[in-house]
Amino acid sequence: MSTHAAASIPSPPLVIYTGGTLGMVAGEHGLAPGGDIEARLSRALGALPAERRAAIPDHEVLAFPDPIDSSAATSRVWQRLAGEIAERYRDHAGIVVLHGTDTLAWTASSLAYQLQGLDRPVVVTGAMQPLEAEGSDAADNVELALRFAVNPALQEVAIAFGGRLLRGVRARKWQTRDAAAFVSPNYPLLGERVGMDPILYPGRSLARQQRGAPRFELPDYAPLADGGVARIVLWPGITARQVAAWLEDPALKGALLEVWGAGNAPEDPALLGVLAEASGQGKLLAAISQCPHGSVGIGHYAAGRGLHAAGVLTADAMTPEAALTKLVHLLAQPLADDERRRSFLTPLVGER
Ligand code: ASP
């Protein structure tokens, strides 16, 4: 680890490199995570126009020795990253995480639950193109992330990408190629690049809701990494037998159901019976809508009442990423069932 450029602030932000396209290089089988990230980053930032370069805070770089394509991330990776941040954050004005875009929103959501009560920025970013690619978005995204990472008014896990700042636990990857790849369907942007400057919009950040000191929760996710939580998307014609195949797995401790519209599922007694049986065994079941915008309100329609009776919790307008990582987070802790259910329904980090 070393300091980039000349020092100008007392506790430079820390950049943690985990992998992703941003740091990839062409290999025999296609793009794969590359090394030497500190020098490569420095070259890419150094190629920005002088006025922008001057506004980039000095920073330190910590590279994971085994960078990955984020499609390989698991809850163990989320846990490891939160542990690294928890260990080091006090020495830095903020943290920037460089991550692959494919599962970036999952990692950001998980970090938010693990790093509750953050008193400084943790900004996750990546890129649609490698640092060295012509017209790459990588340097722009890192520049934006670094500049938000020294704003003390930002006290949460956020995603800086394509000129925008989004709440991590509200964000989703929405584009496979467009540089503005992330959206926040049910919460406004936290900030944006306006002209050359990163602007944090007043009143939207979690800082207003923070009370007391950081209260990180860093439970061991390993026991859930082997099929502890599933994501089940309903489709017309889904059978009780198919749902049972997921829910009867003894390793499964919770599941996220993606139901229809405002909270509907087939009124199939066998299917609802499978759900009720799993709930009765203490498995934590929650439902979101397959519609990206708006909330579920289980029980508005007769077709949704069965879900309520089967003990399925409503996840309101949470993203799938936020809802599933919250299930993982709560199931990893030694909580009583009713406490876990209550916590799921309570907004912990602005996720609902
Ligand atoms: N597959 C890459 C990853 O998620 C995609 C990216 O970084 O954009 O690591």
Side-chain angles (χ1 to χ4, degrees):
M1 201 191 299
S2 68
T3 304
H4 168 91
S8 62
I9 52 169
S11 55
L14 176 67
V15 177
I16 302 179
Y17 170 62
T18 67
T21 295
L22 179 141
M24 287 192 184
V25 289
E28 210 185 317
H29 305 291
L31 286 176
D36 198 19
I37 196 71
E38 187 167 358
R40 294 170 57 208
L41 206 51
S42 169
R43 269 197 300 278
L45 293 175
L48 292 171
E51 208 185 336
R52 285 172 57 186
R53 240 173 23 231
I56 297 175
D58 302 332
H59 51 276
E60 296 176 5
V61 177
L62 170 71
F64 275 18
D66 47 357
I68 56 169
D69 183 305
S70 80
S71 53
T74 65
S75 54
R76 286 194 183 87
V77 171
W78 307 337
Q79 183 185 351
R80 172 178 169 203
L81 183 56
E84 291 282 359
I85 295 171
E87 200 182 309
R88 298 166 195 276
Y89 81 102
R90 276 185 214 84
D91 298 331
H92 300 279
I95 305 284
V96 170
V97 176
L98 305 182
H99 194 287
T101 61
D102 286 343
T103 66
L104 189 151
W106 299 82
T107 297
S109 296
S110 175
L111 288 178
Y113 298 123
Q114 295 181 82
L115 304 174
Q116 289 179 45
L118 259 180
D119 59 358
R120 64 198 72 199
V122 170
V123 186
V124 190
T125 193
M128 303 306 277
Q129 294 188 59
L131 282 163
E132 290 82 7
E134 208 182 315
S136 171
D137 54 338
D140 285 357
N141 287 345
V142 178
E143 174 197 16
L144 187 70
L146 277 166
R147 292 195 64 191
F148 274 122
V150 291
N151 186 336
L154 179 64
Q155 299 184 2
E156 61 182 285
V157 179
I159 295 174
F161 212 96
R164 306 195 286 215
L165 188 76
L166 306 92
R167 173 163 296 163
V169 79
R170 291 283 191 157
R172 309 201 65 196
K173 183 174 178 185
W174 209 244
Q175 300 283 345
T176 57
R177 299 192 192 279
D178 196 299
F182 288 83
V183 295
S184 173
N186 292 312
Y187 196 76
L189 296 180
L190 296 181
E192 217 160 351
R193 180 189 287 125
V194 179
M196 250 191 51
D197 293 316
I199 303 298
L200 203 56
Y201 293 128
R204 296 182 184 173
S205 154
L206 210 53
R208 277 156 47 99
Q209 298 164 35
Q210 304 283 29
R211 281 178 297 274
R215 44 186 193 288
F216 293 176
E217 291 177 0
L218 301 166
D220 184 6
Y221 284 178
L224 286 152
D226 191 19
V229 178
R231 175 182 179 186
I232 304 171
V233 184
L234 304 191
W235 66 91
I238 188 170
T239 65
R241 182 172 42 84
Q242 288 169 314
V243 176
W246 288 100
L247 297 186
E248 286 171 3
D249 175 356
L252 188 102
K253 297 190 168 64
L256 177 65
L257 307 174
E258 295 187 26
V259 302
W260 290 303
N264 300 313
E267 283 181 280
D268 169 1
L271 175 62
L272 294 171
V274 168
L275 296 175
E277 169 111 21
S279 278
Q281 291 163 356
K283 297 186 176 184
L284 190 59
L285 305 182
I288 56 168
S289 178
Q290 292 180 22
C291 303
H293 292 272
S295 237
V296 287
I298 290 173
H300 282 324
Y301 289 87
R305 293 197 82 82
L307 289 171
H308 183 67
V312 178
L313 298 173
T314 175
D316 284 348
M318 290 169 79
T319 63
E321 294 85 343
L324 191 135
T325 56
K326 189 170 186 180
L327 291 176
V328 169
H329 186 70
L330 296 175
L331 287 163
Q333 298 177 65
L335 303 172
D337 276 359
D338 59 339
E339 200 181 339
R340 195 174 277 130
R341 292 173 70 83
R342 209 172 34 247
S343 289
F344 188 85
L345 295 170
T346 306
L348 301 179
V349 285
E351 75 281 13
R352 62 184 296 162

